[in-house]
Amino acid sequence: MRPDDPFSSVADTAVTVVRAEGESTGGIAVLLGPGGVVLGTVTDSGVRPSVLVESDMTIDAFVRSRATTLLLLDMPYLVVLRDGAVFGVVAKTVVAEYLASGAHRPTGNPMGIGGGASDAVLPGPVRLPLAHVACKHPDCGHVNAIEYWHRDRPQQCANPDRAPHNLVLEV
């Protein structure tokens, strides 16, 4: 995969979209929740989180974003969306192979971690890439949308019906 290749060029489009966790698929399946929210991919071991990316996003744009931290999640696929609908999936290993290939040249930030005032990043919410993950805190299960993941500093769960608690992804 070249740095300027969009995810749509390497996506496996032979996916089934299912709306219930127990549905039999016979291949790669993407599970949708209420309102058509992608909850993850269905595997033999259950529903795994998935990182959502736009079909025209390039591999280079993805690996240069903080979304690369989402690759730490126990997920096998990135779900590729086109016009808000599931277009296909890209195996996580494709991104890992690109990172290991030497084609990716990390850039340094001479201004430090906060960047400079003239950087090209605007403040505000980021649409994609992000991951939808269910909180595994006892009696929670709320599906959270996260833009990055740090194992040692988990984010707060967004469940409005529970007391504030850290997002738990593993039991």
Side-chain angles (χ1 to χ4, degrees), residues 36-37 41 45 48 55 65 68 81 91-92 96 125 132 137 153 155 159 162 169:
V37 173
T41 53
S45 59
R48 311 280 4 120
S55 62
S65 74
T68 55
L81 302 179
K92 175 179 161 178
H132 289 127
H137 191 274
R153 289 183 295 213
Q155 302 164 38
N159 190 340
R162 295 275 322 239
L169 299 184

Side-chain angles (χ1 to χ4, degrees), residues 59-132:
I59 185 86
D60 187 61
F62 178 80
V63 299
R64 291 184 186 282
S65 74
R66 67 182 188 164
T68 55
T69 62
L70 297 173
L71 297 176
L72 295 172
L73 300 172
D74 180 21
M75 46 75 101
Y77 299 102
L78 288 83
V79 175
V80 181
L81 302 179
R82 178 176 279 168
D83 298 325
V86 175
F87 175 76
V89 296
V90 172
K92 175 179 161 178
T93 56
V94 170
V95 178
E97 289 168 3
Y98 170 73
L99 287 169
S101 71
H104 170 63
R105 299 279 185 229
T107 58
N109 185 350
M111 296 297 292
I113 196 163
S118 63
D119 67 10
V121 180
L122 297 175
V126 177
R127 288 187 329 123
L128 292 178
L130 58 80
H132 289 127

Side-chain angles (χ1 to χ4, degrees), residues 18 23 33 52 54 58 64 90 95 98-99 105 145 148 150 154:
V18 295
E23 291 181 34
L52 310 180
E54 290 284 357
T58 66
R64 291 184 186 282
V90 172
V95 178
Y98 170 73
L99 287 169
R105 299 279 185 229
Y148 65 94
H150 191 293

